[in-house]
Amino acid sequence: MFVCSCFGVTEQQVKKHAADGACTPRQIASACKAGTDCGSCVRRIQAILGRGACPRRESADQGQPALSEVRQLEEAA
């Protein structure tokens, strides 16, 4: 099922980015652009991410790259 119609991002893709360390809708947007056009999917992305603990949130809060592995995978594809 599509979460972001503007960029054709599926729920499965959002879950994969979350598993790879994306903890916030902004980090999901950085990984796949979801939520950066009309914004109607941001609440759905928040719901998918939930409010659970994120292992990389501390790194992101300190300004360290939390999604470097995700970006490397996408660049290789």
Side-chain angles (χ1 to χ4, degrees):
M1 169 180 270
F2 285 107
V3 172
C4 176
S5 314
C6 297
F7 293 103
V9 178
T10 65
E11 183 173 342
Q12 192 67 17
Q13 288 171 299
V14 171
K15 288 180 179 180
K16 167 127 179 40
H17 290 305
D20 290 341
C23 302
T24 65
R26 183 174 289 180
Q27 290 173 341
I28 295 291
S30 293
C32 63
K33 297 185 181 180
T36 61
D37 193 26
C38 77
S40 66
C41 61
V42 174
R43 287 183 186 241
R44 177 71 179 132
I45 292 168
Q46 288 173 325
I48 292 169
L49 295 175
R51 295 192 178 257
C54 177
R56 297 187 188 173
R57 184 176 306 264
E58 184 175 317
S59 296
D61 289 344
Q62 294 174 359
Q64 298 172 0
L67 295 178
S68 59
E69 294 171 12
V70 173
R71 288 190 188 114
Q72 289 171 358
L73 291 173
E74 286 183 347
E75 289 172 1

